[in-house]
Amino acid sequence: MSSTQQNRFTPAELMDRYEIKKDAYYSRLKYLQIKSKKDPETKEAYLEQPEVDLLDRLHDWINETGSMSGFKEEGGELAVVGNSEISQQQTNGKNSEEEIFAAVKGDRSSQKILRRFDRSAQTSAAAALVEAKNILTGDYIANPDQLDEDLKNQVFFEENPQLLDRQWAAQNLAAAIREQKKRS
């Protein structure tokens, strides 16, 4: 086998590599606009290393996001900034949003990467806020006496307020909701 053939990957090899079926494999090729080549002697289709590298990145993207969507629009690649550029920016004090944006102002791919990075940061922040909300909710459930007065009034049902038994409420209210959904 010649050295050029060592960097050739057949569809069967790649489907095994990604653990996907034929339809998924060809959908990915179509999405990436990759055309396989054919060996003139064996007439066997193959891809070369650069296309396989792109397929690898797409496969990672799909595993991360659950979809091919967004991969091509964002380029599917991360920008690589040399360490000297990073240290130069740090020593020059370039750390404000405006300065960073100005540094990549003319480079559209860098702008897309920044937008993707910003979106990722927003998604992480949203997840953290949801988790914080869930923690606070759990605290209020465990300590309903700490609720605001108007909310306490919604929890207490009698003139001589007694807290609703939470276990009873969870069982009976959930059953009532299920019953109501059945009737709808």
Side-chain angles (χ1 to χ4, degrees):
M1 180 182 288
S2 72
S3 64
T4 57
Q5 288 179 326
Q6 289 176 345
N7 290 328
R8 292 181 175 184
F9 299 86
T10 66
E13 291 171 327
L14 293 169
M15 286 184 272
D16 285 343
R17 179 181 187 143
Y18 305 124
E19 299 176 343
I20 58 175
K21 297 188 186 238
K22 191 175 185 177
D23 288 345
Y25 172 74
Y26 286 104
S27 287
R28 291 178 184 192
L29 290 184
K30 183 177 179 182
Y31 185 81
L32 295 171
Q33 300 177 347
I34 294 175
K35 303 263 189 236
S36 60
K37 297 170 182 68
K38 280 198 178 181
D39 186 291
E41 295 171 14
T42 65
K43 306 290 184 206
E44 189 174 44
Y46 67 91
L47 296 180
E48 292 179 339
Q49 192 63 53
E51 291 96 3
V52 174
D53 291 343
L54 185 57
L55 277 171
D56 286 345
R57 290 192 302 272
L58 176 61
H59 183 71
D60 291 342
W61 176 265
I62 292 169
N63 286 337
E64 183 181 316
T65 66
S67 169
M68 289 188 285
S69 179
F71 178 80
K72 187 142 179 97
E73 290 82 18
E74 296 299 334
E77 299 177 26
L78 295 174
V80 178
V81 177
N83 289 338
S84 62
E85 291 178 45
I86 293 171
S87 60
Q88 182 182 2
Q89 286 181 353
Q90 289 172 342
T91 57
N92 291 341
K94 289 190 175 187
N95 56 7
S96 75
E97 183 179 326
E98 294 83 17
E99 289 171 322
I100 292 169
F101 188 75
V104 294
K105 187 174 165 186
D107 185 357
R108 295 188 78 181
S109 65
S110 293
Q111 290 173 6
K112 287 181 180 180
I113 291 165
L114 284 176
R115 282 194 299 272
R116 183 171 160 197
F117 186 75
D118 181 63
R119 178 64 181 191
S120 175
Q122 289 183 43
T123 301
S124 296
L129 289 170
V130 167
E131 181 63 23
K133 179 182 173 187
N134 291 340
I135 291 168
L136 285 171
T137 301
D139 287 346
Y140 283 120
I141 290 171
N143 303 297
D145 55 310
Q146 294 179 3
L147 290 169
D148 290 341
E149 282 303 314
D150 62 321
L151 297 174
K152 279 186 199 177
N153 292 333
Q154 293 177 23
V155 176
F156 295 98
F157 292 109
E158 300 175 9
E159 284 183 31
N160 183 9
Q162 293 180 353
L163 188 60
L164 180 66
D165 179 16
R166 280 175 263 154
Q167 188 173 24
W168 175 89
Q171 291 171 348
N172 291 298
L173 293 176
I177 290 169
R178 282 193 295 274
E179 186 62 33
Q180 186 178 23
K181 285 183 179 181
K182 285 180 187 176
R183 291 183 199 157
S184 302

